[in-house]
Amino acid sequence: MKMTYVLPQTGRTENEEQEDWDGRFGDFLIDLQTQEGLTDLTIRQLQLHLRAYDAWLKELGRCWTSARREDIQEYLQQVRDHRSASTLRSKLWSIRRLYAWARENSIVTVPSCWMMVARRTYERKRTVVPSSHQLQQLLELPDTSTDKGLRDRAVLELLYATGMRATEILSIKLHQVVKDRCLRIMGKGQVERLVVYGEDAAYWIAQYKEKRQMMLLKAGHSVVATQQLFVSMGKHAAYQYFELRRMIRAYAQRLNLKLTPHALRHAFATHLYQGGAALRTIQLLLGHAQLTTSTIYISRRIEDSKKMMHIHHPREDGYKPYRRWSSG
């Protein structure tokens, strides 16, 4: 018996959206979400990738269960030619996970080497990290005399103050905001962690909360339409990811920057590091299981390297030897 996967937020099934959707994709998504605790946003992205891959194969007259390795490589090459490196990585991950799951469940009998299909090296696109001065300018752009501006300022302050992921920010419930400026959130992989934030973020969250109910009413929603902290003034009561991304992009463009919600997470880590925070501390605050993952989020500037050389290299003017190494 095939299971039917229900799309997050829409409540519609795959069969309702597309009659030829393979029910085994639904089984795969349910197993992945249940076993690994992936977010609805990640599951939705997987679903879109599977749909595109399946449609491409059907144009060749093939089913995904009988696809050859060469077919997959040709598909990924097409993605490489027309899409960004991050999209290629995401689609490659989706396909590898699909076939690994299908092999474990005896749906396909492909060699284990297929799990490494098309794992070629390619340049990772570097996230542009704004300076602390640019971030301060960004935070001051929202018009806080309006309800929308208050919400935008609160969101931006909290993103920069905590380095939380976009999905984590959007999943905060109203009752989680307490006076001690500490949030207990469920992060990636259903790993719980504590998040702390400063007085600036607390101030703007408090200002926004006073207008939250009015925002819901103005948008035609009930005041109990959602328990999420951040609400929308559109057709959805809860603030959506596409609205968050659009908001940050619009403010960033006014500063001639190209920023995403994830870029603020990088800025959080980078500015902590520039301020002297230990890598282990940054790892803890970001909620990473591996230290090497945290280092990806830190963008070192050439100015930082020059400053380090000036202070710590014996051939530089700013060098001061430790007492234990000085003579006498």
Side-chain angles (χ1 to χ4, degrees), residues 3 18 33 57 80 99 132 139 154 160 169 172 174 181 183 230 233 241 275 290 312 320:
M3 299 176 67
Q18 181 174 322
Q33 188 173 42
L57 284 174
R80 183 193 300 270
Y99 281 108
S132 57
L139 294 176
Y160 183 45
I169 285 280
I172 298 173
L174 190 60
R181 306 199 307 271
L183 294 171
F230 295 111
M233 301 186 74
Y241 176 75
Q290 302 294 329
H312 298 291
K320 293 181 180 179

Side-chain angles (χ1 to χ4, degrees), residues 199-213:
E199 293 182 1
D200 288 336
Y203 172 81
W204 289 109
I205 289 173
Q207 297 299 307
Y208 155 72
K209 284 178 65 178
E210 293 181 1
K211 303 292 184 180
R212 181 181 177 276
Q213 289 190 359

Side-chain angles (χ1 to χ4, degrees), residues 106-236:
S106 302
I107 297 174
V108 297
T109 55
V110 297
S112 58
C113 63
W114 272 42
M115 300 307 105
M116 303 297 291
V117 64
R119 194 173 185 178
R120 289 181 284 180
T121 58
Y122 47 85
E123 183 180 357
R124 178 183 290 271
K125 186 177 180 180
R126 291 189 62 185
T127 299
V128 177
V129 177
S131 67
S132 57
H133 176 66
Q134 289 173 323
L135 241 303
Q136 185 60 41
Q137 289 181 308
L138 181 74
L139 294 176
E140 295 174 354
L141 285 178
D143 181 3
T144 53
S145 65
T146 66
D147 296 345
K148 177 181 178 299
L150 273 177
R151 181 203 60 197
D152 293 350
R153 181 67 183 264
V155 171
L156 291 172
E157 289 279 0
L158 192 57
L159 274 172
Y160 183 45
T162 62
M164 281 195 284
R165 301 176 179 91
T167 52
E168 294 170 347
I169 285 280
L170 296 176
S171 63
I172 298 173
K173 300 297 188 294
L174 190 60
H175 67 82
Q176 290 179 261
V177 180
V178 292
K179 293 182 179 180
D180 60 0
R181 306 199 307 271
C182 180
L183 294 171
R184 187 179 296 275
I185 65 170
M186 195 66 68
K188 193 173 183 179
Q190 295 298 298
V191 176
E192 188 180 60
R193 77 176 192 276
L194 290 175
V195 172
V196 294
Y197 53 92
E199 293 182 1
D200 288 336
Y203 172 81
W204 289 109
I205 289 173
Q207 297 299 307
Y208 155 72
K209 284 178 65 178
E210 293 181 1
K211 303 292 184 180
R212 181 181 177 276
Q213 289 190 359
M214 186 58 66
M215 289 180 64
L216 286 170
L217 293 174
K218 286 181 179 179
H221 303 297
S222 165
V223 294
V224 293
T226 178
Q227 288 300 307
Q228 288 183 211
L229 172 62
F230 295 111
V231 299
S232 171
M233 301 186 74
K235 65 177 182 179
H236 300 286

